Amino acid sequence: AQSVTQLGSHVSVSEGALVLLRCNYSSSVPPYLFWYVQYPNQGLQLLLKYTSAATLVKGINGFEAEFKKSETSFHLTKPSAHMSDAAEYFCAVSEKSGGSNYKLTFGKGTLLTVNP
Amino acid sequence: NAGVMQNPRHLVRRRGQEARLRCSPMKGHSHVYWYRQLPEEGLKFMVYLQKENIIDESGMPKERFSAEFPKEGPSILRIQQVVRGDSAAYFCASSPGWDLAKNIQYFGAGTRLSVL
């Protein structure tokens, strides 16, 4: 079974600083990888996805992630943090769920705090 | 994503009562997934349904939990004889069912179940 590890359950940055949220996965087949964001008391919103096209993926709100097969990583970055980026971020991998069907396996999440 | 509708948003039950959580997928989506989010943890897959069929229920507890997605109407996650450990946020997601591996799932805002 696939698994996802997010290093650091809590990351704190200053406004304007670089954001780096780490995600490593284990997969026996080429993975499809996702980053979702969850604002307080809300559902998950898709930030970006990797589906075996370009290894550098750009998403919404200025976020991007780079797929590195040799490191089995899919870290999320943003050059300059904004206060509105404060939220919880989840990395996920698509995993077979019987036949040709798939389901998502999530990491435990990283809570991003942005300080003024 | 506002397109996936879950209700109620908050549900309070006493131990031993039944909880029924509803999910209406986005228009045109025939695949529904249920996930549970316990405090301090990421989302855990519970069950994957298509219309009138359970495809994968490998994440469902063996007892007291059931799910359905009838031909007409919303998907229902049912928890019988709730216990305090069932307190969690339950999220529903839907996908259109094509290109399943890339499996972009759209999430509802969740139902937060509190068991007293």
Side-chain angles (χ1 to χ4, degrees), chain A residues 32 34 36 38 41-44 46 49 51 88 90 94 97-98 100-104 106-109, chain B residues 1 9 31 33 35 37 41-43 45 48 50 55-56 58 91 100-105 107-109 112:
Chain A
Y32 296 113
F34 306 82
Y36 282 85
Q38 184 181 28
N41 297 315
Q42 294 187 28
L44 276 70
L46 181 67
K49 62 185 187 295
T51 56
E88 189 151 23
F90 292 96
S94 184
S97 176
S100 59
N101 302 299
Y102 289 80
K103 61 189 177 186
L104 291 175
F106 286 87
K108 290 191 173 184
Chain B
N1 185 296
R9 290 291 308 276
H31 295 239
Y33 310 79
Y35 294 84
Q37 185 179 32
E41 294 192 19
L43 280 74
F45 169 80
Y48 167 27
Q50 296 177 24
I55 307 301
D56 181 349
S58 59
F91 290 95
L100 290 171
K102 297 180 184 178
N103 201 8
I104 297 173
Q105 295 183 17
F107 283 79
R112 280 152 182 85

Side-chain angles (χ1 to χ4, degrees), chain B residues 33-51:
Chain B
Y33 310 79
W34 285 93
Y35 294 84
R36 177 164 63 175
Q37 185 179 32
L38 293 167
E40 308 298 321
E41 294 192 19
L43 280 74
K44 300 286 189 191
F45 169 80
M46 298 182 75
V47 63
Y48 167 27
L49 310 102
Q50 296 177 24
K51 283 284 188 182

Side-chain angles (χ1 to χ4, degrees), chain A residues 28-64:
Chain A
S28 57
V29 298
Y32 296 113
L33 295 157
F34 306 82
W35 275 100
Y36 282 85
V37 60
Q38 184 181 28
Y39 297 101
N41 297 315
Q42 294 187 28
L44 276 70
Q45 180 181 1
L46 181 67
L47 269 179
L48 50 80
K49 62 185 187 295
Y50 167 75
T51 56
S52 75
T55 56
L56 182 62
V57 181
K58 293 188 185 299
I60 62 171
N61 301 338
F63 284 93
E64 61 182 36

Side-chain angles (χ1 to χ4, degrees), chain B:
Chain B
N1 185 296
V4 178
M5 303 303 294
Q6 288 188 250
N7 67 81
R9 290 291 308 276
H10 300 275
L11 182 61
V12 179
R13 285 288 178 265
R14 296 190 180 280
R15 281 180 296 169
Q17 291 183 320
E18 178 180 289
R20 293 172 69 89
L21 288 62
R22 296 175 187 77
C23 169
S24 296
M26 284 183 73
K27 187 176 181 180
H29 287 191
S30 58
H31 295 239
V32 166
Y33 310 79
W34 285 93
Y35 294 84
R36 177 164 63 175
Q37 185 179 32
L38 293 167
E40 308 298 321
E41 294 192 19
L43 280 74
K44 300 286 189 191
F45 169 80
M46 298 182 75
V47 63
Y48 167 27
L49 310 102
Q50 296 177 24
K51 283 284 188 182
E52 300 185 278
N53 288 302
I54 296 175
I55 307 301
D56 181 349
E57 55 182 349
S58 59
M60 288 277 271
K62 293 285 185 274
E63 297 176 348
R64 301 187 296 108
F65 284 72
S66 62
E68 62 177 8
F69 188 17
K71 186 176 180 181
E72 301 291 338
S75 175
I76 305 286
L77 179 67
R78 183 183 179 204
I79 311 172
Q80 295 178 289
Q81 299 177 311
V82 295
V83 300
R84 289 215 173 108
D86 297 332
S87 296
Y90 292 83
F91 290 95
C92 170
S94 73
S95 70
W98 49 266
D99 205 357
L100 290 171
K102 297 180 184 178
N103 201 8
I104 297 173
Q105 295 183 17
Y106 298 87
F107 283 79
T111 294
R112 280 152 182 85
L113 173 65
S114 297
V115 180
L116 304 179

